[in-house]
């Protein structure tokens, strides 16, 4: 792609992002909601709905738009080659997902299909003209492997404002799904629990619509909004460096809404405390514990690294977190310890660890795998981690291209193993 085309696409992207944030709700529906807010007697209830309409809605839309239209296309090669997930999506489901994306993003997604340029152009045209039946028919006719496209589509974040246009039955099923799903991370689990409080109010009869019930609804709805806002803010702060300066400014303008300022500050203070409390430690017998039998889930440390002891290994992981190579939270540190050693497997699924190398390169991670791992398995590296720009081949040859200060620090942790 030449510079002129890249600039044009970036301009379209930011114009689309600004439009999505400015009008996260269909205009006619927004007018109805505004009229409902103005007719409420209780000022507190008005503020609750404004918090949802003016802060949480735009923030959710911004988060999904940025992830779906910029982040996913940026890492599409890693996503489509990630064979840890094999999602199955019908052509109709693929169409519905593509329709939520910007047209340039649709083109990026369709480029992963092994089809002719004419077929790809046809599929793109049917998305552009809202012709679902023709899209489905052509996609089926190509008989191509849709798994790469399904992997991309399945990673897309949901349009959180879509619930506004759902039927009552669809909304009930959506909340049932939310409440019935168990999550490993605290943020999503808190949202699930808050959703359970709301569930009893969905589809209640008019006879039950008493002032007390209405007040209880708004109280529970506020709890749900706080849990959702907390999850969104934690995501934003955890991955702050992944957002561009313009994206950050747009998000900050949403959070500067006077309705939300005090609440955002409260969540920020709690967030800082949680990071400060995230003291990472490993048991003294960490390396003596039984290694997980599933060899596909972890690497193997060199004996010279294990011989340096648990304390050095703990300091090494904390260093990676402090320098921003990995997220500075306990769950990620514990997962990294397991991925490198096979000891003390965390419960539940094992997501990919986001690695933020210098200049978005993978050189520092390659250095870790080459010098600390006994077998230097770079295929596992690409499965266990995501985020950096992977090298094309001969991974080990790039280890000494890692940042100078990083390599020097590694020799302090493991002087008999690492090279500077």
């Amino acid at each position: 792609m030449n510079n002129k085309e890249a600039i044009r696409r970036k301009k379209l992207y930011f114009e689309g992002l600004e439009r999505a944030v400015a009008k996260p709700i269909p205009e006619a529906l927004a007018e109805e909601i505004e009229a409902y807010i103005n007719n409420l007697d209780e000022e507190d209830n008005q503020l609750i709905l404004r918090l949802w309409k003016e802060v949480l809605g735009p923030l959710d839309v911004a988060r999904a738009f940025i992830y779906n239209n910029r982040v996913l296309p940026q890492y599409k090669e890693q996503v489509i080659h990630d064979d840890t997930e094999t999602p199955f999506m019908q052509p109709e489901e693929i169409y519905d997902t593509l329709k939520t994306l910007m047209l340039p993003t649709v083109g990026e997604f369709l480029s992963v299909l092994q089809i002719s340029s004419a077929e790809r152009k046809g599929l793109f045209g049917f998305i552009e003209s809202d012709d679902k039946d023709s899209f489905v028919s052509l996609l089926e006719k190509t008989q191509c492997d849709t798994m790469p496209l399904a992997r991309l589509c399945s990673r897309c974040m949901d349009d959180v404002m879509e619930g506004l246009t759902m039927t009552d039955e669809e909304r009930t099923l959506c909340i049932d799904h939310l409440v019935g799903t168990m999550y490993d991370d605290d943020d999503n689990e808190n949202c699930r629990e808050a959703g359970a409080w709301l569930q009893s109010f969905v589809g209640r009869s008019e006879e039950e619509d008493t002032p007390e019930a209405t007040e209880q609804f708004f109280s529970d709805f506020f709890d749900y909004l706080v849990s959702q806002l907390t999850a969104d803010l934690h995501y934003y702060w955890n991955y702050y460096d992944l957002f561009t300066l313009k994206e950050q400014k747009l998000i900050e303008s949403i959070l500067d809404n006077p309705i939300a300022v005090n609440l955002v500050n409260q969540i920020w203070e709690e967030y800082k405390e949680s990071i400060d409390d995230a003291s990472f430690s490993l048991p003294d017998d960490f390396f003596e514990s039984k290694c997980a039998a599933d060899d596909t889930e972890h690497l193997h440390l060199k004996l010279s690294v294990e011989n340096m002891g648990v304390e050095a290994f703990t300091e090494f992981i904390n260093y990676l977190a402090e320098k921003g190579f990995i997220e500075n939270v306990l769950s990620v540190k514990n997962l990294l310890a397991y991925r490198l050693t096979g000891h003390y497997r965390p419960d539940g699924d094992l997501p990919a660890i986001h690695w933020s190398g210098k200049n978005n390169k993978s050189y520092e991670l390659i250095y870790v795998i080459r010098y600390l791992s006994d077998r230097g398995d770079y295929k596992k590296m690409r499965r266990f981690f995501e985020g950096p720009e992977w090298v094309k081949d001969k991974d080990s040859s790039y280890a000494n291209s890692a940042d100078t200060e990083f390599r020097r620090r590694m020799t302090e942790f493991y002087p008999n193993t690492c090279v500077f």
Side-chain angles (χ1 to χ4, degrees), residues 286-295 298-301 306 338-345 375:
F286 180 78
F287 289 125
E288 285 73 46
S289 65
K290 188 176 180 180
C291 193
D294 189 352
D295 190 69
H298 61 84
L299 298 156
H300 297 268
L301 281 187
E306 291 192 7
Y338 173 72
R339 287 299 202 189
L340 293 176
T341 67
H343 297 290
Y344 281 83
R345 187 190 191 281
R375 303 175 189 175

Side-chain angles (χ1 to χ4, degrees), residues 128-163:
E128 192 173 20
S129 61
D130 299 327
D131 191 343
K132 185 173 185 176
D133 291 341
S134 296
F135 176 91
V136 170
S137 176
L138 178 55
L139 185 59
E140 291 176 339
K141 184 179 178 181
T142 64
Q143 296 185 330
C144 67
D145 179 12
T146 60
M147 181 58 68
L149 181 56
R151 282 179 177 148
L152 283 171
C153 289
S154 68
R155 293 283 189 95
C156 286
M157 287 187 176
D158 291 333
D159 180 357
V160 293
M161 303 308 283
E162 184 183 11

Side-chain angles (χ1 to χ4, degrees), residues 122-398:
L123 292 172
F124 183 89
F126 293 139
I127 292 289
E128 192 173 20
S129 61
D130 299 327
D131 191 343
K132 185 173 185 176
D133 291 341
S134 296
F135 176 91
V136 170
S137 176
L138 178 55
L139 185 59
E140 291 176 339
K141 184 179 178 181
T142 64
Q143 296 185 330
C144 67
D145 179 12
T146 60
M147 181 58 68
L149 181 56
R151 282 179 177 148
L152 283 171
C153 289
S154 68
R155 293 283 189 95
C156 286
M157 287 187 176
D158 291 333
D159 180 357
V160 293
M161 303 308 283
E162 184 183 11
L164 295 173
T165 57
M166 288 179 178
T167 65
D168 290 341
E169 181 183 9
E170 289 172 335
R171 192 175 295 111
T172 300
L173 292 173
C174 183
I175 294 180
D176 283 345
H177 172 71
L178 169 68
V179 173
T181 304
M182 301 302 292
Y183 298 96
D184 290 329
D185 64 286
D186 292 337
D187 286 336
N188 278 324
E189 181 61 18
N190 289 337
C191 290
R192 185 194 70 80
E193 292 174 358
W197 300 337
L198 286 174
Q199 189 177 35
S200 61
F201 291 93
V202 176
R204 69 176 190 255
S205 65
E206 292 184 6
E207 289 75 17
E208 298 175 287
D209 198 11
T210 64
E212 293 78 12
T214 299
E215 196 59 34
Q216 184 63 47
F217 168 78
F218 276 103
S219 175
D220 290 344
F221 188 46
F222 178 72
D223 289 337
Y224 176 75
L225 294 181
V226 171
S227 66
Q228 185 64 54
L229 181 61
T230 300
D232 283 350
L233 290 175
H234 284 186
Y235 178 89
Y236 175 55
W237 293 328
N238 287 342
Y239 298 103
Y240 184 81
D241 291 339
L242 290 182
F243 291 85
T244 68
L245 181 61
K246 197 165 184 176
E247 290 166 349
Q248 291 170 0
K249 287 182 177 179
L250 187 62
I251 290 174
E252 297 297 337
S253 70
I254 297 171
L255 301 179
D256 284 340
N257 188 311
I259 297 173
V261 168
N262 289 338
L263 183 56
V264 170
N265 288 339
Q266 177 187 330
I267 296 172
W268 170 249
E269 292 302 320
E270 294 170 354
Y271 175 80
K272 287 197 300 182
E273 288 180 10
S274 70
I275 291 180
D276 293 339
D277 291 342
S279 54
F280 171 68
S281 62
L282 296 170
D284 293 339
D285 66 346
F286 180 78
F287 289 125
E288 285 73 46
S289 65
K290 188 176 180 180
C291 193
D294 189 352
D295 190 69
T296 64
E297 286 193 346
H298 61 84
L299 298 156
H300 297 268
L301 281 187
K302 290 180 178 177
L303 185 59
S304 59
V305 176
E306 291 192 7
N307 288 341
M308 289 297 293
V310 174
E311 185 175 346
F313 189 59
T314 303
E315 289 181 5
F316 156 67
I317 291 179
N318 278 326
Y319 165 76
L320 294 180
E322 290 164 7
K323 292 300 180 180
F325 291 105
I326 61 172
E327 190 181 352
N328 193 11
V329 294
L330 279 174
S331 59
V332 174
K333 294 178 183 179
N334 285 319
L335 177 56
L336 178 61
Y338 173 72
R339 287 299 202 189
L340 293 176
T341 67
H343 297 290
Y344 281 83
R345 187 190 191 281
D347 294 331
D349 295 333
L350 304 179
I353 298 171
H354 189 90
W355 182 273
S356 299
K358 187 170 182 181
N359 299 322
N360 200 40
K361 302 295 184 182
S362 54
Y363 303 156
E364 290 80 25
L365 179 55
I366 290 173
Y367 184 99
V368 170
I369 303 302
R370 176 178 177 182
Y371 289 108
L372 301 194
S373 170
D374 190 36
R375 303 175 189 175
D377 194 328
Y378 300 103
K379 288 184 179 179
K380 285 184 179 178
M381 175 188 73
R382 292 168 191 253
R383 284 199 294 112
F384 297 165
F385 297 88
E386 65 181 9
E389 178 184 321
W390 300 119
V391 300
K392 292 184 178 180
D393 53 21
K394 299 180 180 178
D395 298 71
S396 63
S397 65
Y398 289 87

